[in-house]
Amino acid sequence: MTLNELETPALVLDASIMEANVARLRARLGGLGVALRPHVKTAKCDEVAKRCLEGQPGGITVSTLAEAEYFAARGVRDILYAVGLAPNKVRHVQDLRRRGVDLTVVLDNLEQARFVSDLPCLIEVDCDGHRAGVKPDDPGLAELGRAVKNLRGVMTHAGSSYNCRSTEAIAEVAERERRAVVVASETLKREKASASVVSVGSTPTAHFARHLEGVTEVRAGVYVFFDLVMAGISVCRVEDIALSVLATVIGHQRDKGWAITDAGWMAMSRDRGTAAQPLDQGYGLACDADGRPLDGVIVADANQEHGILAHRSGEAGRMPHLPVGTLVRILPNHACATGAQHAAYHVVRGSRRVEERWERIRGW
Amino acid sequence: MTLNELETPALVLDASIMEANVARLRARLGGLGVALRPHVKTAKCDEVAKRCLEGQPGGITVSTLAEAEYFAARGVRDILYAVGLAPNKVRHVQDLRRRGVDLTVVLDNLEQARFVSDLPCLIEVDCDGHRAGVKPDDPGLAELGRAVKNLRGVMTHAGSSYNCRSTEAIAEVAERERRAVVVASETLKREKASASVVSVGSTPTAHFARHLEGVTEVRAGVYVFFDLVMAGISVCRVEDIALSVLATVIGHQRDKGWAITDAGWMAMSRDRGTAAQPLDQGYGLACDADGRPLDGVIVADANQEHGILAHRSGEAGRMPHLPVGTLVRILPNHACATGAQHAAYHVVRGSRRVEERWERIRGW
């Protein structure tokens, strides 16, 4: 089967590009002497995770217990659930552990320390003020460390790295991320000798950290596919984006320079992550069916099942000729968000031939 | 089971509110003497569609062939697929028709007229310049009508009604929507006597059209649940919103006035439809577990599986006390987008008791 025979919209994964992305981070972290604990929240797919785990210790990071269940059923035993635990999930975590899964949970406050009981825990550290976590110099950190019965270490996520404008700036954020967990880890090791894990993670910082001294593992997710947000901050090139949505031109408003497709926000997601970047890519950047970008054509607007292709300048005269029935592939702003709208990947390798169909999971 | 026993995040549907919304539009369209063809793209659920179809002729509107398959398997025979047809879907449509489903397709150009062959068609009319369709006074309309072998009539969607600021303005848009299809229908009836369907549709215009003379059916979808976008343009009140996402507080950044929950954009969707309205509701408006709004608390920001609750003023001192473990229910900006992130509804009726679980479908 080829892409020309699929009903659109459909999610397309170029496995050659993905494998190059996986090899790039593997080589880089190997050079820094740190293990990778891939974050499977981006791909939510065993076939992708297997490739990420080659040459690694075998542990993964998940964002939901549904992911933990799915990967546990496929033999993964070392799982970090990297969202602060809610009391209504304790029983489920205990159940997974009874079934032989070494599931570690995350927390950042004393209330959680009480209800997690003896589950193995990492304390979340706030390295950049963007979300959860205890600040590394917070006087409450040592007390929290004492309160956690089964403390394995610390973790942080430099979410602010997504807002950087240069790889230099990312390297600075990476150093703050590293320093935050290393400082917190030193405090906690004085309380609990068991607190040996020092975990950092974000795709930008994983690629541009100058060194990772004192860090025991790196978590990264979107590196496997990359996306326009990552290209917009120079973490990758547009041609490194492995994921796209296949769509068909179904009509035009020629006076406006619009070509209308059957891939709306349901297929692309509502993510507008490039809106705040210097180059706003709308709901995605259009390529031809072979994956070559159409010069300056973006999804300028989207309804549920309609996408509006237009030249980014807004000039009708600059739109290429895209007759009804033309297939396009649209690169996503955010691979995690676009992937989540689909049930499966249609896997190609540099051509239109669909070699495999890989299922994804969803839910919580 | 009650909401307190669910793992979060979870989609909650208050069926009492939904039934009142359904009754409201039924009464209104009954008064105007026009049938409803509910758009099932919002709920994607048989249990909801059944309630919408009470007292109606039985036809539905779908946005995907996956919805057509699902409802055909549940006995619905009259289905309008309301997205301009792509050539790669012709065979699937023909197959559904061979199985006894009276599936009508939509088009707006001569290229489509060629490949749809003898499938029954509506011509899409552009009433407000927001998306697809032929303008009602376009000299090409009659030619298109002649080219369509099996022409059943016309349809339009007043998408611009979502940007209105008053119910008066919505009534004006509704009149333009009505006039556009009636004018187009008169042109086409001169070409083809079979072109009897005159179909309009959007939730705002369905509720505020002054009259619908010449219209044979109304399509509406989001009216069944409503959402913050609809409340923001006065189509409904906040208390008419039937859909919410149950979430748990998992931590705080007290200096910033943040409570962090386990419902991020994966649970809410990335839809920021209220961002352009006078009252920006962030990623959603927080209520307590019984559905009563927490004064001014919104999801100010969201990561994949983390939501940040904050007072809309940004003032830390105005946040209510929400200890770790507190359950909140978050009203969505856009019911279609939030619903699509979930596999099922947890159905309540004005209390925390979960009476039923209704599955949703997804995909294309």
Side-chain angles (χ1 to χ4, degrees):
Chain A
M1 187 191 263
T2 74
L3 296 181
N4 300 58
E5 292 152 79
L6 292 178
E7 277 185 44
T8 50
L11 190 65
V12 177
L13 170 57
D14 191 315
S16 314
I17 300 176
M18 176 190 78
E19 284 159 8
N21 295 341
V22 168
R24 176 181 165 198
L25 189 60
R26 182 188 300 131
R28 192 178 147 67
L29 296 183
L32 294 176
V34 178
L36 176 67
R37 178 185 288 279
H39 205 319
V40 300
K41 80 185 175 87
T42 304
K44 299 198 183 218
C45 169
D46 184 38
E47 292 289 344
V48 176
K50 274 198 302 208
R51 286 158 175 84
C52 298
L53 286 172
E54 278 167 28
Q56 300 296 340
I60 63 170
T61 314
V62 300
S63 70
T64 66
L65 295 184
E67 293 163 29
E69 286 284 358
Y70 167 89
F71 284 98
R74 281 154 188 81
V76 178
R77 281 291 163 272
D78 174 4
I79 301 180
L80 171 63
Y81 170 49
V83 178
L85 197 67
N88 57 48
K89 297 186 186 92
V90 170
R91 217 180 320 178
H92 193 167
V93 170
Q94 288 169 333
D95 182 50
L96 273 155
R97 289 193 58 82
R98 263 193 299 274
R99 286 183 270 141
V101 182
D102 187 10
L103 186 63
T104 303
V105 300
V106 163
L107 53 71
D108 71 355
N109 59 69
L110 289 167
E111 295 99 309
Q112 287 173 305
R114 276 189 288 276
F115 68 70
V116 296
S117 183
D118 60 353
L119 294 176
C121 297
L122 299 186
I123 290 178
E124 184 161 5
V125 173
D126 178 8
C127 64
D128 59 6
H130 89 286
R131 195 170 73 190
V134 185
K135 287 191 185 52
D137 57 356
D138 187 316
L141 181 61
E143 184 192 356
L144 180 58
R146 283 191 296 277
V148 175
K149 273 191 207 159
N150 186 353
L151 183 64
R152 288 197 169 168
V154 290
M155 60 87 77
T156 194
H157 166 59
S160 62
S161 65
Y162 284 61
N163 305 322
C164 288
R165 287 279 171 275
S166 69
T167 57
E168 264 306 299
I170 295 171
E172 293 300 321
V173 169
E175 178 54 17
R176 282 202 295 278
E177 181 184 39
R178 185 196 71 81
R179 212 179 311 124
V181 273
V182 168
V183 165
S185 174
E186 281 160 9
T187 300
L188 291 168
K189 278 179 188 158
R190 282 194 290 272
E191 305 297 332
K192 295 260 162 83
S194 62
S196 59
V197 174
V198 184
S199 178
V200 297
S202 86
T203 285
T205 56
H207 286 82
F208 294 99
R210 295 192 194 100
H211 72 93
L212 289 170
E213 271 176 46
V215 168
T216 64
E217 65 177 34
V218 168
R219 308 179 321 280
V222 81
Y223 80 99
V224 67
F225 297 153
F226 285 129
D227 53 29
L228 293 168
V229 166
M230 288 296 110
I233 60 173
S234 304
V235 174
C236 68
R237 303 164 304 169
V238 166
E239 52 266 44
D240 298 326
I241 301 174
L243 206 64
S244 60
V245 173
L246 187 73
T248 306
V249 174
I250 56 173
H252 299 87
Q253 296 289 9
R254 294 195 192 276
D255 53 329
K256 297 177 181 140
W258 290 358
I260 296 172
T261 77
D262 58 0
W265 57 253
M266 188 65 81
M268 297 308 304
S269 92
R270 271 290 197 195
D271 198 288
R272 289 283 289 103
T274 55
Q277 294 190 335
L279 189 63
D280 183 347
Q281 307 278 21
Y283 284 90
L285 181 65
C287 301
D288 67 19
D290 298 308
R292 286 180 298 254
L294 296 168
D295 187 30
V297 179
I298 61 172
V299 182
D301 205 351
N303 285 193
Q304 186 159 338
E305 298 291 350
H306 296 80
I308 295 179
L309 297 182
H311 192 272
R312 67 168 80 253
S313 66
E315 292 171 38
R318 298 181 69 179
M319 269 295 278
H321 181 59
L322 299 170
V324 169
T326 303
L327 286 176
V328 292
R329 278 164 69 181
I330 303 165
L331 303 177
N333 283 322
H334 189 169
C336 307
T338 300
Q341 303 298 106
H342 296 262
Y345 302 96
H346 300 86
V347 181
V348 299
R349 286 175 184 276
S351 81
R352 295 194 193 186
R353 194 164 78 81
V354 179
E355 301 189 350
E356 286 180 89
R357 181 187 156 98
W358 293 348
E359 303 295 323
R360 290 177 49 98
I361 57 142
R362 68 186 303 220
W364 288 274
Chain B
M1 186 191 266
T2 74
L3 297 181
N4 300 57
E5 291 153 79
L6 293 179
E7 278 185 45
T8 49
L11 189 65
V12 178
L13 170 58
D14 191 315
S16 315
I17 299 176
M18 177 190 76
E19 284 159 8
N21 295 342
V22 168
R24 176 180 165 200
L25 188 60
R26 182 188 299 132
R28 189 174 150 71
L29 295 183
L32 294 176
V34 178
L36 176 67
R37 178 185 288 279
H39 205 319
V40 300
K41 79 185 176 88
T42 305
K44 299 197 183 220
C45 169
D46 184 40
E47 292 290 343
V48 175
K50 273 198 303 209
R51 285 156 175 87
C52 298
L53 285 172
E54 278 168 28
Q56 301 296 342
I60 64 170
T61 315
V62 301
S63 71
T64 66
L65 294 184
E67 293 163 30
E69 286 285 356
Y70 168 89
F71 283 98
R74 281 152 187 83
V76 178
R77 282 292 163 268
D78 174 5
I79 302 180
L80 170 64
Y81 171 50
V83 178
L85 197 67
N88 56 48
K89 297 186 185 94
V90 170
R91 217 179 322 178
H92 194 167
V93 170
Q94 288 169 334
D95 182 51
L96 273 155
R97 289 193 58 83
R98 263 192 298 273
R99 286 183 271 142
V101 182
D102 187 10
L103 186 63
T104 302
V105 300
V106 163
L107 52 72
D108 71 354
N109 59 70
L110 288 168
E111 295 99 309
Q112 286 172 307
R114 277 189 287 274
F115 67 70
V116 296
S117 182
D118 60 352
L119 294 176
C121 296
L122 299 186
I123 290 177
E124 184 161 5
V125 173
D126 178 8
C127 65
D128 59 6
H130 90 286
R131 195 170 73 189
V134 184
K135 288 190 185 54
D137 58 356
D138 188 316
L141 182 61
E143 184 193 355
L144 180 58
R146 283 191 296 277
V148 176
K149 274 191 206 159
N150 187 351
L151 183 63
R152 287 195 169 169
V154 290
M155 61 87 78
T156 195
H157 166 59
S160 62
S161 65
Y162 284 61
N163 306 322
C164 289
R165 287 280 171 275
S166 69
T167 58
E168 264 306 300
I170 295 170
E172 294 299 322
V173 169
E175 177 53 18
R176 281 202 295 278
E177 181 183 38
R178 185 195 70 81
R179 212 179 312 124
V181 273
V182 168
V183 165
S185 174
E186 281 161 8
T187 299
L188 291 169
K189 279 180 188 158
R190 283 194 289 271
E191 305 297 332
K192 296 260 161 82
S194 61
S196 59
V197 174
V198 183
S199 178
V200 297
S202 87
T203 285
T205 56
H207 286 82
F208 293 99
R210 295 191 192 100
H211 72 93
L212 288 171
E213 271 176 46
V215 168
T216 64
E217 65 177 34
V218 169
R219 309 177 322 278
V222 80
Y223 80 99
V224 67
F225 296 154
F226 284 130
D227 53 30
L228 293 168
V229 166
M230 289 295 111
I233 59 172
S234 305
V235 173
C236 69
R237 304 164 303 170
V238 166
E239 52 266 45
D240 297 325
I241 301 174
L243 205 65
S244 60
V245 173
L246 187 73
T248 307
V249 174
I250 56 173
H252 298 87
Q253 296 289 11
R254 294 194 194 275
D255 53 329
K256 298 178 180 140
W258 291 357
I260 296 171
T261 77
D262 58 1
W265 58 252
M266 189 64 82
M268 297 309 303
S269 90
R270 271 290 197 194
D271 198 288
R272 288 282 290 104
T274 55
Q277 294 189 335
L279 189 63
D280 183 347
Q281 305 278 20
Y283 284 90
L285 181 65
C287 302
D288 67 19
D290 298 309
R292 286 180 300 254
L294 296 167
D295 187 31
V297 179
I298 62 172
V299 182
D301 206 351
N303 286 194
Q304 185 159 336
E305 299 290 350
H306 296 80
I308 295 179
L309 296 181
H311 192 271
R312 68 167 81 253
S313 67
E315 291 170 39
R318 298 181 70 179
M319 269 295 279
H321 182 57
L322 299 170
V324 168
T326 302
L327 287 176
V328 292
R329 279 165 67 181
I330 302 165
L331 303 177
N333 283 323
H334 189 170
C336 306
T338 301
Q341 303 299 105
H342 296 262
Y345 302 96
H346 300 87
V347 181
V348 300
R349 286 175 185 275
S351 82
R352 295 194 194 187
R353 194 163 77 82
V354 180
E355 302 189 350
E356 285 179 271
R357 180 187 156 98
W358 293 349
E359 303 295 323
R360 289 177 50 97
I361 58 141
R362 69 185 303 220
W364 289 273

